[in-house]
Amino acid sequence: MSRDLPADEFRSAMHRVADLVADYLEGVGDRPVLPAVKPGEVRSVLPAAPPEAPEPLDTILDDYLRVIEPNLTHWNHPGFLAYFAITGSGPGILGETLAAGLNVNAMLWRTSPAGTELEERVCAWLARMMDLPADFRGHINDTASSSSLVALAAARHRLPVDVRVRGLSGRPEVPPLTLYASDQAHSSIDKSAIVLGLGQENVRRIETDDEFRMSVPALTRAIERDRAEGRLPMAVVATVGTTSTTSVDPVPEIADLCARFGVWLHVDAAYAGSAAICPEYRALMPGIERADSLVVNPHKWLFTPVDCSLLYVRDPALLKAAFSLVPEYLRTAEDSEVTNLMDYGFQLGRRFRSLKLWMVIRAFGVEGLRERIREHCALARDLAAWIAADPRFELAAPVPFSAVCFRARVEEDPDRFNERLLARVNAAGPVFLSHTVLKGRYTLRVAIGNLRTERGHIEQLWELVGRAYEELRGE
């Protein structure tokens, strides 16, 4: 009995999987973005118990085609315009496949020499592409939630409270640690505060201006008030490309304030950081080079399959001091002269994520990536112009990158009308939008970022929005 698939069976199945993926990507735009499925329907056709005997791979793949693929929300669809679009590009999928085949754990240099050194070099490539300082060290995590958590743990370690050894529990001499972010910052910042023991009540959500940027005077008052009341400010999170509107906080002024008070500056550029590879969009992000830590997600706008999040830190020694914990069985003769990636975060096991990013950057080239980001931003500007010129609708926020927030103009119950408008547009099938709430008002949101999205898809979206508006007004 073979302990695994014989090579010929594996090769045959891989050929079929390659055809399945290629066919899927080629035809994904012909499907509805959202599946016509109700909660529990998929579960109802899956056996309650696992099979006792082996099943043929062709049978399993047949069931994949019957049960799984038709009942997914298609993030690779060119009409997926919700949240922040992601793309499994061809080069990235190839890299992910090779990484799965290699199945290395890049925790130590010894356990993956190529994995370790490729990660270091690819992170340096992206830093160069983004015009970040040469002393920024990159480290790949799964998502921005993990990257921000790691960065804020380093910020906590820098404080004179020795949390690493003594913890926070039962220490009345340790003042409350406070964290600052705008009212538009991502919810992962609050989750980091929960995990790190700060507590949500010590997260200061700072008000924003008319363009949804953090108010520096309000931030100053919050830090001064906390210091006066005996709390210990730990970090400020400035966002470059907020989730709702892609606004950019005034990082230079925030950096000045952090330097004045000795507070860690973390920049969340998970979405918009990718656009920094274009000089004209990098110019919209002054000051990010002054951050103590910065996160950018290639899986959002650099066409790398989920998951791939890069955390950059200015002081890697501090990050290592916060996290390095080496049991005897993981000590090696090379430790003093190599990088062991496990030392720079809370995860011991580490997927070979750098391989897919390396393949994406090489296959597209920096100029090819720039071209696609610029096209997305141009499409967003076109859509914003159509909205601004139509008296039925209004823009709800500026459009610095490739996300557009807008509302229908109606007098009676506008929030309910816009909610129904979104539902009707999404029910049509070709596109999928999400929403947010801005200044207390329900707002539709279009985020253009999928590699396969073209002008025709945005024209189709605008036609659907106009038709849905007229239908609802006529009911």
Side-chain angles (χ1 to χ4, degrees), residues 285-326:
M285 312 173 195
I288 63 172
E289 69 281 353
R290 298 175 61 188
D292 294 292
S293 55
L294 178 146
V295 59
V296 57
N297 285 357
H299 69 230
K300 278 193 170 71
W301 209 3
L302 285 180
F303 319 125
T304 303
V306 168
D307 49 24
C308 185
S309 174
L310 267 67
L311 172 66
Y312 288 101
V313 293
R314 185 176 297 281
D315 185 356
L318 179 66
L319 193 62
K320 185 175 181 179
F323 284 103
S324 182
L325 183 66
V326 186

Side-chain angles (χ1 to χ4, degrees), residues 66-263:
R66 178 179 62 87
V67 178
I68 307 302
E69 196 175 281
N71 294 310
L72 291 172
T73 296
H74 298 293
W75 286 73
N76 270 326
H77 196 294
F80 189 105
L81 303 166
Y83 314 119
F84 283 126
I86 57 175
T87 306
S89 66
I93 293 169
L94 293 173
E96 191 78 277
T97 303
L98 291 171
L102 294 170
N103 195 38
V104 299
N105 181 351
M107 57 182 182
L108 303 169
W109 180 89
R110 176 178 284 183
T111 64
S112 184
T116 300
E117 295 182 19
L118 182 65
E119 179 165 330
E120 291 180 301
R121 182 50 52 91
V122 167
C123 289
W125 278 6
L126 186 56
R128 183 186 183 111
M129 292 159 63
M130 294 175 61
D131 192 25
L132 295 176
D135 62 347
F136 269 33
R137 176 203 165 87
H139 184 74
I140 301 181
N141 297 295
D142 50 5
T143 65
S145 297
S146 293
S147 290
S148 292
L149 175 63
V150 169
L152 294 172
R156 188 185 65 177
H157 184 74
R158 192 173 69 166
L159 298 176
V161 292
D162 194 15
V163 174
R164 175 184 165 114
V165 174
R166 301 184 61 197
L168 290 172
S169 178
R171 296 182 63 192
E173 78 279 10
V174 176
L177 310 181
T178 50
L179 177 61
Y180 307 83
S182 86
D183 57 23
Q184 298 295 307
H186 195 266
S187 60
S188 61
I189 304 306
D190 298 82
K191 286 193 174 184
S192 292
I194 294 170
V195 174
L196 293 172
L198 278 64
Q200 284 182 280
E201 70 176 22
N202 289 310
V203 178
R204 306 288 182 254
R205 286 291 191 156
I206 307 301
E207 66 188 61
T208 51
D209 62 17
D210 290 341
E211 295 186 359
F212 305 100
R213 301 171 301 187
M214 186 190 295
S215 165
V216 176
L219 173 63
T220 304
R221 290 192 296 271
I223 293 175
E224 289 177 338
R225 181 171 58 249
D226 282 330
R227 284 162 54 98
E229 294 177 358
R231 300 179 183 89
L232 182 56
M234 185 185 87
V236 174
V237 178
T239 308
V240 172
T242 57
T243 303
S244 286
T245 69
T246 70
S247 60
V248 177
D249 286 339
V251 180
E253 293 86 348
I254 294 171
D256 288 343
L257 190 64
C258 288
R260 172 184 160 194
F261 287 115
V263 177

